[in-house]
Amino acid sequence: MKKTLSYPKKKRSFTFVTFSVLSVFCLLAASWGYIFIAENASFFGLFTEENYLFAKKFLSSLAGIGDNDPAFTNKESWIHALKLTYETLQMSVMAAGFATVTALLTVIPADRNVADGTLTLSKRWYRWILFWIIRGIYVFSRAIPELVWAMVIVFILKPGILPGALALALHNFGILGKLFAEIIEDIDMKPIRNLASSGASNAQILFYGVIPAVMPKFLTYILYRWEVIMRTSIIVGFVGAGGLGQQFKLSMSFFNYTDITLILICYLILVAIADAISEGFRRAAR
Amino acid sequence: MGKFLYFLTYYKKSLLTLLLILIFVWSLFSVQWNADLLHPGGGVTTKQIFQALLAPDLSPEILILALESTWITLVYAVAGMSIAIILAFFFGILASGVLSTSRFNLFAVSGFFRGILGFTRAIHELVWAWLFVAAIGLSPFAAVFALGIPYGGILGKIFADMLNDIPEEPIKALETAGASKLQTLLYGYLPLVRANIISYVMYRFECSVRSSAIMSFVGLGGLGYQIQLSLSDLQYDEVWTFLFFLIALVVLIDAWSNLLRKRMVL
Amino acid sequence: MSESIIKMNNIAKHFERKIALSSLSFIINKGEHIALIGPSGAGKSTLLNILAGITNADSGEYLLDGKSIVNYQKRNIRSRKIGVIRQQFDLIASLPVIQNVLAGKLGEWGFFKSLISLLFPIEKETAARALNQVGLLDKMYEQTSRLSGGEQQRVALARLLVQNPEVILADEPVASLDPARAEDILSLMTELVKDKKQTLIVSLHSVEYAKKYFSRIIALRDGEIFFDLPSEHVTDSLLANLYALKGEAKDG
Ligand SMILES: Nc1ncnc2c1ncn2[C@@H]1O[C@H](COP(=O)(O)OP(=O)(O)OP(=O)(O)O)[C@@H](O)[C@H]1O
Ligand SMILES: [Mg+2]
């Protein structure tokens, strides 16, 4: 008989990770329970004869079956759709630009290492206040979805490209601001200290120490966000902020399903181009 | 010519930045910059909206309504994310090609699944929602699927990339210890990406709450629905109340994921 | 007299135009402890990879226990014959120590058994015994990433003990350890394999360790066998020539 070895027992302790796992399971159970019980949604109820016919009709009208002049074979519709595509592209670029400019203008006081004086090697009492205010604004701006911003803005501005670009910019301003701040907080301090100890002013530290170190990463994030903005640009159009989205909404309400297909094709092409361009820029910037 | 090429490579980054700035300037020309951009009462409306921001509607009925809508928003987000995670798990593994045995398999299978993931995430969740509502009607499942499909695409792609970035030594070591492909997945790939994928899922969960809130715009319940109703009644103070609930939810999840990231062992 | 386990006959291997190994032949008997030495780029890793069946030779014959290596294509059959240990990046840092040790059993286990074991470790007894042998019993449930380099190398050894192959191959197993830890691992390794008469082939950069812990030394230089001698016959002048830079005098 083999001699048994006494080995240690696994320690079981209640950590934050265990707590998180439990919370996730509770959330899952509660959510699916709510959907099935309180909202009384039946999953298999989706697969009725009626729904099937409905979905089939919808899909075949998207494909233009039974339509003798579907939009995606019509030259006029294509020209119109391409014009909207062009507008949407402009809108997304404008949005990314606005977001970048505003984020760059505010990001310096929003860094922990500026607020506590390690970056500039000087302390000012008001810096922490400024830090929390700007960080608060970032949270505020990114917590509100683009679509909600757009809905509010179309109350102020007339429909067109500008309200869409502003809505997209307002949301992405908070995201870029936070990302930029994190990059600046992570920079290597040694070259900066050398500059500061050799008597460089704050502006000189910024231009010779900080900007060269962070610029490539900023560019990567800006391009990445532009891709996301491109994808979202169709959404802000739903509430009248111009571009492909506005047409999507109109065609939806007039049940012009082949128009929808055409718009979706243009949209997919646009997203694919945006992906390729931003990938190309990132490669080139490396 | 040689000098020019040298110039190009030396100033590559500055030139790229300049190019991006020029593109931005080009986009500004698409708008006629004049007062005609504003609605006639635009200035007044702006003032009202800002005043309402400082005095949100805190009456009990609105608070209860906001709480209820926040819950529905969270429910759709959680349910949508659970579908997204399941999709991402299977599609991500297939798209990464870590289970492929032959070169042909690797390119064919992973190319095919990367294509599917790319397609699902190229279309925005709200467009999916619209298509689903048009196809299956106003069911909570329309919201759940509309969230789950594009988020599955995003998570699946990242998951596949993470699996591909795993260093090969530990995996090789498992194979020499006799592990099959599936076993290297269990004992190698999955534990090695666990921490990263969890923090990414938490980040996407935060996004999904925002997405879930706007699902309402195709007629599904939640915070966005209430915001839309209040906006059409011009009740800006109510709008802000609902928005503050949304912000609170997002901040809460953000804090949770930050804490988790710090506590999680790699 | 003693049985041979490995027979290499005119093994050659090249990468593109570079010749990594040219026509190696040797025989290794069961239970031998062999050190593989030679300057960087001599082909030690390449040879060990061929021995492990990870890479295939371009030409030549490799018999493992009397059968050609092509008969060992199935991973779980090969893993019973040959085990490999390298530097500590062989382990899955995010798993507990016990799971890394039990990974040595994967060749025997099916998919579901390994899945269950990931949640509720089975054959804890086996893992505990192996960890006890390498002196890490108290770290059984520790996260592997929290262990020091030397401890991680012991965990890798424990995995090999669980896998229990007939031949153990080690490619610079102590390269990243301090001298005390390195000696510790080497003596542990040579002790543990003695019990089961396992064959041990270890590549090393330290001639001193090679002489101290191994009975036979095979020296490679430029993909050829420079010498193949019992440790006590290895002289300083031989070693000086082995490690001499190109162009230096090669007379002994
Ligand atoms: N995958 C590969 N592709 C191309 N050349 C290779 C490859 N692997 C090894 N080589 C070459 O084969 C030769 C032998 O390499 P090997 O790694 O076996 O040397 P080594 O003795 O282990 O060296 P070290 O002591 O530095 O680890 C080297 O010249 C190396 O450049
Ligand atoms: Mg080597």
Side-chain angles (χ1 to χ4, degrees):
Chain A
M1 238 194 87
K2 265 187 276 179
K3 192 177 64 123
T4 50
L5 192 69
S6 70
Y7 45 85
K9 287 275 165 297
K10 190 172 179 174
K11 280 172 283 171
R12 293 206 182 275
S13 53
F14 192 77
T15 59
F16 186 72
V17 177
T18 357
F19 165 74
S20 300
V21 171
L22 283 178
S23 319
V24 166
F25 278 110
C26 290
L27 261 180
L28 279 175
S31 300
W32 284 106
Y34 184 83
I35 288 179
F36 280 112
I37 297 161
E39 301 216 326
N40 206 5
S42 137
F43 182 70
F44 295 102
L46 290 178
F47 301 104
T48 56
E49 181 78 22
E50 193 188 349
N51 261 348
Y52 170 72
L53 288 176
F54 195 49
K56 193 175 146 196
K57 183 159 162 275
F58 173 65
L59 288 177
S60 55
S61 21
L62 274 185
I65 296 168
D67 191 337
N68 32 29
D69 186 22
F72 43 82
T73 55
N74 183 312
K75 196 173 156 218
E76 309 277 282
S77 318
W78 266 102
I79 291 173
H80 182 58
L82 286 178
K83 198 180 135 265
L84 289 175
T85 309
Y86 180 74
E87 272 184 19
T88 309
L89 183 67
Q90 276 182 319
M91 177 162 94
S92 71
V93 171
M94 207 193 298
F98 285 151
T100 307
V101 171
T102 43
L104 284 179
L105 287 179
T106 50
V107 74
I108 301 289
D111 303 315
R112 214 168 283 275
N113 47 0
V114 170
D116 65 12
T118 47
L119 191 66
T120 51
L121 304 177
S122 64
K123 278 191 201 302
R124 299 278 188 282
W125 61 269
Y126 54 82
R127 281 202 177 135
W128 276 114
I129 302 176
L130 214 52
F131 169 83
W132 285 112
I133 290 177
I134 295 182
R135 281 303 179 97
I137 294 176
Y138 284 171
V139 170
F140 182 78
S141 110
R142 84 189 153 89
I144 297 179
E146 305 89 334
L147 186 59
V148 176
W149 280 123
M151 295 189 72
V152 174
I153 292 174
V154 292
F155 271 81
I156 301 169
L157 295 175
K158 284 183 184 162
I161 295 182
L162 187 63
L166 281 182
L168 289 165
L170 269 171
H171 176 66
N172 283 281
F173 153 68
I175 294 179
L176 279 180
K178 179 177 177 240
L179 290 172
F180 287 175
E182 278 168 4
I183 293 172
I184 295 182
E185 282 168 9
D186 283 345
I187 61 173
D188 185 12
M189 282 304 293
K190 252 187 252 146
I192 312 281
R193 280 211 202 89
N194 287 344
L195 271 178
S197 60
S198 65
S201 70
N202 276 353
Q204 282 170 324
I205 291 178
L206 187 67
F207 281 106
Y208 293 96
V210 180
I211 289 182
V214 297
M215 215 48 213
K217 284 184 192 146
F218 279 18
L219 276 182
T220 316
Y221 275 129
I222 293 167
L223 289 167
Y224 156 69
R225 281 319 296 182
W226 175 62
E227 262 174 69
V228 180
I229 289 173
M230 193 73 257
R231 231 185 289 277
T232 328
S233 61
I234 195 171
I235 294 310
V236 293
F238 287 1
V239 293
L244 282 171
Q246 198 167 355
Q247 189 60 42
F248 184 95
K249 169 105 189 270
L250 283 176
S251 307
M252 259 308 190
S253 31
F254 292 133
F255 304 105
N256 273 339
Y257 287 124
T258 52
D259 245 2
I260 300 278
T261 313
L262 178 60
I263 290 168
L264 283 180
I265 292 172
C266 289
Y267 172 58
L268 280 177
I269 294 173
L270 204 52
V271 170
I273 291 175
D275 279 8
I277 291 179
S278 96
E279 182 67 29
F281 264 107
R282 270 196 294 258
R283 286 253 170 85
R286 227 173 269 150
Chain B
M1 186 65 202
K3 236 182 189 164
F4 180 66
L5 275 182
Y6 173 78
F7 177 81
L8 269 189
T9 45
Y10 192 76
Y11 291 102
K12 196 169 69 177
K13 280 184 188 135
S14 315
L15 284 172
L16 279 176
T17 314
L18 194 70
L19 185 60
L20 289 178
I21 292 173
L22 284 177
I23 294 176
F24 172 50
V25 171
W26 157 78
S27 77
L28 292 179
F29 284 106
S30 62
V31 176
Q32 305 275 321
W33 297 94
N34 53 33
D36 206 29
L37 287 171
L38 231 58
H39 277 304
V44 182
T45 316
T46 316
K47 208 174 130 208
Q48 284 171 345
I49 291 174
F50 272 103
Q51 275 168 347
L53 167 64
L54 300 176
D57 189 344
L58 298 178
S59 59
E61 310 93 80
I62 292 296
L63 287 183
I64 289 172
L65 189 61
L67 210 59
E68 217 173 285
S69 324
T70 308
W71 169 243
I72 294 178
T73 298
L74 184 65
V75 162
Y76 290 164
V78 170
M81 277 303 276
S82 47
I83 294 213
I85 289 171
I86 293 170
L87 286 179
F89 182 77
F90 290 105
F91 281 61
I93 287 172
L94 290 169
S96 72
V98 293
L99 292 183
S100 308
T101 39
S102 70
R103 263 196 119 59
F104 171 74
N105 251 340
L106 201 149
F107 285 114
V109 175
S110 78
F112 176 71
F113 282 100
R114 272 191 188 272
I116 290 186
L117 290 176
F119 173 73
T120 57
R121 73 173 190 283
I123 296 180
H124 194 276
E125 53 271 18
L126 201 52
V127 180
W128 277 115
W130 216 317
L131 297 177
F132 269 116
V133 168
I136 63 174
L138 279 176
S139 151
F141 288 110
V144 173
F145 290 144
L147 267 178
I149 288 175
Y151 275 79
I154 296 167
L155 289 178
K157 179 190 181 265
I158 297 289
F159 184 43
D161 287 347
M162 283 180 183
L163 288 176
N164 285 144
D165 286 345
I166 292 287
E168 63 175 6
E169 287 91 358
I171 305 297
K172 279 260 167 65
L174 283 176
E175 285 178 354
T176 56
S180 66
K181 284 277 174 195
L182 277 176
Q183 284 172 327
T184 57
L185 191 68
L186 287 183
Y187 280 74
Y189 289 107
L190 294 184
L192 284 172
V193 298
R194 187 180 53 200
N196 281 338
I197 198 74
I198 287 176
S199 60
Y200 192 74
V201 165
M202 287 302 286
Y203 161 62
R204 279 293 160 191
F205 178 42
E206 184 203 308
C207 300
S208 80
V209 166
R210 269 194 301 263
S211 300
S212 157
I214 62 169
M215 283 295 147
S216 327
F217 290 91
V218 292
L220 300 157
L223 276 171
Y225 186 59
Q226 301 303 335
I227 293 173
Q228 205 176 14
L229 288 182
S230 303
L231 265 176
S232 53
D233 291 347
L234 304 184
Q235 301 286 340
Y236 302 124
D237 49 348
E238 289 175 17
V239 172
W240 285 117
T241 313
F242 296 127
L243 281 179
F244 282 128
F245 269 81
L246 179 60
I247 293 170
L249 189 57
V250 167
V251 168
L252 208 67
I253 293 173
D254 196 28
W256 182 17
S257 78
N258 276 338
L259 271 177
L260 194 61
R261 206 168 313 151
K262 264 179 220 148
R263 304 287 169 85
M264 221 166 23
V265 274
L266 273 173
Chain C
M1 182 190 83
S2 59
E3 251 179 294
S4 74
I5 181 134
I6 287 173
K7 267 191 194 156
M8 285 280 201
N9 211 345
N10 289 323
I11 289 286
K13 175 82 189 171
H14 62 83
F15 296 103
E16 280 100 51
R17 261 165 290 143
K18 164 106 193 127
I19 295 168
L21 294 175
S22 58
S23 204
L24 298 190
S25 304
F26 54 83
I27 291 175
I28 292 172
N29 290 328
K30 263 193 186 136
E32 268 193 292
H33 294 179
I34 295 174
L36 208 55
I37 61 171
S40 279
K44 302 182 294 291
S45 301
T46 311
L47 178 57
L48 282 170
N49 282 341
I50 290 176
L51 282 167
I54 297 172
T55 40
N56 290 322
D58 297 335
S59 59
E61 188 186 35
Y62 168 20
L63 297 182
L64 178 59
D65 208 8
K67 279 189 280 182
S68 168
I69 189 70
V70 293
N71 296 314
Y72 296 94
Q73 287 307 317
K74 273 194 80 171
R75 268 196 289 267
N76 46 3
I77 295 178
R78 193 170 66 206
S79 66
R80 240 165 273 166
K81 283 281 172 204
I82 288 186
V84 180
I85 181 171
R86 274 172 306 184
Q87 296 181 10
Q88 64 264 37
F89 38 63
D90 275 2
L91 299 174
I92 310 294
S94 51
L95 280 180
V97 167
I98 180 168
Q99 303 292 2
N100 267 308
V101 174
L102 285 177
K105 280 270 174 211
L106 289 179
E108 289 174 31
W109 288 354
F111 175 74
F112 284 103
K113 202 167 175 189
S114 40
L115 178 63
I116 291 167
S117 177
L118 207 51
L119 304 172
F120 312 100
I122 34 185
E123 305 200 24
K124 275 188 211 166
E125 183 72 30
T126 319
R129 223 175 303 126
L131 281 171
N132 192 33
Q133 279 178 288
V134 298
L136 278 182
L137 189 55
D138 53 324
K139 298 267 162 87
M140 196 153 148
Y141 291 105
E142 198 85 23
Q143 195 81 25
T144 307
S145 56
R146 296 218 185 104
L147 269 53
S148 73
E151 285 170 334
Q152 293 195 16
Q153 200 60 303
R154 283 160 177 268
V155 175
L157 258 182
R159 178 194 280 182
L160 266 188
L161 289 174
V162 168
Q163 188 187 335
N164 196 19
E166 290 177 34
V167 180
I168 293 175
L169 304 173
D171 193 1
E172 295 176 28
V174 294
S176 60
L177 302 181
D178 67 66
R181 300 291 170 307
E183 295 221 28
D184 185 48
I185 291 286
L186 284 175
S187 63
L188 188 63
M189 207 180 211
T190 42
E191 275 311 306
L192 290 174
V193 297
K194 253 178 207 150
D195 299 345
K196 293 177 185 156
K197 286 247 160 48
Q198 285 160 308
T199 310
L200 185 61
I201 307 175
V202 179
S203 83
L204 285 173
H205 268 298
S206 158
V207 179
E208 185 195 336
Y209 296 158
K211 280 178 143 178
K212 187 163 167 193
Y213 294 101
F214 296 86
S215 49
R216 175 176 163 192
I217 297 181
I218 298 180
L220 291 182
R221 188 184 162 111
D222 297 334
E224 290 171 34
I225 293 187
F226 193 70
F227 62 75
D228 178 356
L229 294 168
S231 316
E232 58 272 17
H233 292 193
V234 175
T235 62
D236 286 349
S237 65
L238 265 178
L239 291 172
N241 273 341
L242 173 64
Y243 287 104
L245 295 174
K246 282 222 168 67
E248 281 181 39
K250 274 205 190 174
D251 49 56

